[in-house]
Amino acid sequence: MCSNGRLAVCCWRYLVLFDPAANLLHSEPVVRLPIIAGDAAVGQLCCDPETFADATTLAGLGGPGTPWLDDRLRALLRLAWPGTPAEARLWWGRSVTRADLRTAVAEVTGVPADLLRRVEARGAAIRQSCADPVVRAAAPMAVLRAEVARLVHDRAAAPRRPGTALDELLFWRGTGRDLVTLDEIAWLVSALTAAAWDAARIARSGVVGWLRVTTQAVVLGGVRIPGGTRCLLLVDADERDDRPAQPALRALRWLAPAAPDGAGATFARLLGDGPGVLQRAA
């Protein structure tokens, strides 16, 4: 992924929520699992959630065949997440640039700072006590998903504070042709929270790792992968203009912490407008 030692140091020092590859490829070189890279292979996997099921990162949204960030979710995100750095500064700049990192993430996403502290503590405890390197790498995101799911279902029945991604998603979820479910909202909020957290806290390498498990035997690139095999997908953050990706793969890139125009990068630029924010967070 990256040969420079800085990334490895950052991955040990900070809890990485969204990028298992940062831990698996740098701190656990002996892990035995298929590593799948390249647009064609990763794109095939993204479009086949029935065979390559979610293992630890982002949950399937409605059963086999559900597309990543389909038109309903994309339309909803446009109402709740800024599309440009200028919009981000307009929406959140005043509160975020005065805050430490955890509070800044809370101000943007609507996930409370104390919940983020619980995620850090529980994720770190699992990583220290578990011998399985894949489970350790996946623990922070798995814990975040569970906590956010509870939060979303609780918040949906209570008064909400507008302006955060969570509350805006809840407010607008029923205005389109098709209702976006609370589970889908939880999926989106978990992804956005983790992308913002990782983009601000780690050295961004250009690739992100996604853990999947095969539900049945499959042949990929001439190699037979048995059912029940855990796999690591490597997604390049950049997309070449002459090689447009399938929508599912493009969605993964947009959520990757290293994506230059993605969700995490928007938040990282916003923090960059406030001198000393990252230093205070460390």
Side-chain angles (χ1 to χ4, degrees):
M1 183 152 68
C2 175
S3 61
N4 95 36
R6 184 182 171 200
L7 178 59
V9 170
C10 286
C11 292
W12 277 105
R13 183 179 178 187
Y14 297 135
L15 192 68
V16 182
L17 296 174
F18 207 42
D19 190 355
N23 297 306
L24 288 172
L25 296 185
H26 290 276
S27 62
E28 297 287 347
V30 298
V31 173
R32 303 295 185 204
L33 76 166
I35 295 177
I36 301 168
D39 277 9
V42 174
Q44 176 184 334
L45 270 60
C46 291
C47 296
D48 186 12
E50 187 170 359
T51 301
F52 291 89
D54 174 66
T56 48
T57 47
L58 300 183
L61 293 185
T66 303
W68 289 83
L69 289 181
D70 62 17
D71 290 343
R72 298 170 309 120
L73 301 185
R74 289 177 185 276
L76 185 61
L77 269 177
R78 283 194 290 270
L79 298 171
W81 194 265
T84 65
E87 284 185 355
R89 287 192 294 271
L90 179 64
W91 292 9
W92 302 318
R94 180 172 297 179
S95 57
V96 164
T97 55
R98 296 197 303 264
D100 58 49
L101 176 61
R102 198 180 290 110
T103 304
V105 173
E107 290 286 337
V108 167
T109 65
V111 176
D114 61 344
L115 185 151
L116 294 174
R117 292 188 187 93
R118 288 200 304 273
V119 170
E120 285 188 282
R122 289 183 56 200
I126 293 171
R127 288 170 65 166
Q128 290 174 2
S129 62
C130 181
D132 186 328
V134 175
V135 174
R136 288 206 307 271
M141 189 63 192
V143 172
L144 178 69
R145 277 175 42 193
E147 292 279 359
V148 168
R150 283 191 289 270
L151 171 69
V152 167
H153 283 267
D154 290 345
R155 187 80 63 86
R160 299 185 288 273
R161 180 170 61 88
T164 67
L166 167 57
D167 294 320
E168 292 297 319
L169 289 169
L170 286 172
F171 178 81
W172 293 106
R173 75 185 183 99
T175 59
R177 214 173 25 183
D178 301 305
L179 180 71
V180 176
T181 69
L182 293 180
D183 287 340
E184 290 173 321
I185 297 296
W187 176 80
L188 286 173
V189 173
S190 297
L192 293 170
T193 301
W197 184 268
D198 288 357
R201 296 201 73 154
I202 67 173
R204 289 172 290 162
S205 63
V207 253
V208 67
W210 305 78
L211 289 168
R212 290 289 182 269
V213 61
T214 55
T215 59
Q216 57 191 339
V218 62
V219 176
L220 187 68
V223 177
R224 184 180 183 274
I225 304 175
T229 302
R230 295 181 301 191
C231 306
L232 178 64
L233 283 61
L234 295 186
V235 180
D236 292 333
D238 286 306
E239 179 174 334
R240 288 171 43 182
D241 293 337
D242 61 343
R243 192 180 58 192
Q246 300 176 52
L249 180 54
R250 191 173 301 122
L252 292 190
R253 285 179 171 153
W254 185 77
L255 289 168
D261 297 311
T266 299
F267 179 75
R269 288 194 196 100
L270 187 61
L271 287 181
D273 290 341
V277 172
L278 292 179
Q279 288 77 8
R280 292 199 301 275

